Each structure stands twice: as C-alpha cells, then as structure tokens.
Amino acid sequence: MVGIGNCWIEPGVEFRFRDIQIGDGSYINTGSFFEGDPPVVIGRNVAVGPYCRVLTRSHELDRGERRAGPLTYGSVTIGDGTWIGASVTILPGVDVAPGCVIAAGAVVAKSTAPDGLYAGVPAHRIRDLQSHHGKPG
C-alpha cells in the first residue's frame, strides 16, 4: 500500500517495496532508500536528508560457516516533525518518536523517545529538545 500525502520527493529516491506511507508536508532528499516490506510510515512535516537508508529487513545471526541466517523483518515509523540528517541509517523495527533530530551519519538501532537529539553509531540521546508545547522533551 502506498499512501503519499502532499509532500516533496527529490529525484533519485528509491522505494524498494510498496508499503510506504508519507504524511503531508514531508520532504525526502535525493539518494535516499526505503525498503517498505514490512511497512515504513513517515509522519507529517518530516525532513529526510540526502542518502539516508530506512531498512525493514535483516538476518538472524547464524553459525560460523554462514553468519547471515534467515531473514528477519521489522516495520519502521518516523514520527511527525522529525528531522533525519544526511546519510542516516534506520534499522528494522525502529520507531523514531515525534520531534526528534537524528544527526548526520547516525545509525538508529533502537527506538527513540520524543523530542531528543540523537547522534552516533549506534545513535544515543545527546540532549532534550523543546517540544511543540514549549517544554523540554
């Protein structure tokens, strides 16, 4: 299911599968890649920087002769008002909470809490951000 609101998607963005939803006012920059099997849900007013990857598939860790075992799956949600910096990777099963900023180059391996700045590999909360209610997150 593809559900694309009133948003802007630059040329060179790749959607590998069809279970993608993008909310109104969102922006997807060039070179970004989205799997979408299982679903990827992008909220309203989300900004995705260039060359980001949103993955919904991985592998179980297997025996030594072949470490990449059977496929695993996990949907991804990116909450309203979030800013995903350039070259961010979001791994399967992650929910990026509303109002977050994910710093350029971060790898988001675990779900986030609202209104936070996350950076690093793996990404961790650097500081609280003011929420849309005017209070720190």
Side-chain angles (χ1 to χ4, degrees), residues 43-131:
R44 291 171 295 138
N45 301 313
V46 171
V48 177
Y51 305 104
C52 291
R53 292 165 301 281
V54 177
L55 307 175
T56 58
R57 297 171 164 209
S58 188
H59 293 272
E60 291 180 15
L61 185 61
D62 212 341
R63 298 179 311 275
E65 63 270 9
R66 183 180 171 98
R67 292 291 184 201
L71 277 173
T72 61
Y73 303 86
S75 61
V76 171
T77 301
I78 301 173
D80 295 345
T82 295
W83 174 18
I84 308 292
S87 297
V88 166
T89 299
I90 300 174
L91 297 179
V94 167
D95 292 327
V96 178
C100 285
V101 173
I102 310 298
V107 175
V108 186
K110 293 183 180 178
S111 295
T112 68
D115 300 309
L117 171 60
Y118 289 81
V121 178
H124 61 280
R125 193 174 183 107
I126 301 296
R127 70 180 177 98
D128 296 339
L129 300 173
Q130 186 174 6
S131 74

Side-chain angles (χ1 to χ4, degrees), residues 8-15 27-33 49-51:
W8 186 265
I9 301 172
E10 293 287 352
V13 174
E14 181 180 350
F15 298 101
Y27 173 79
I28 313 291
N29 209 330
T30 191
S32 292
F33 171 84
Y51 305 104

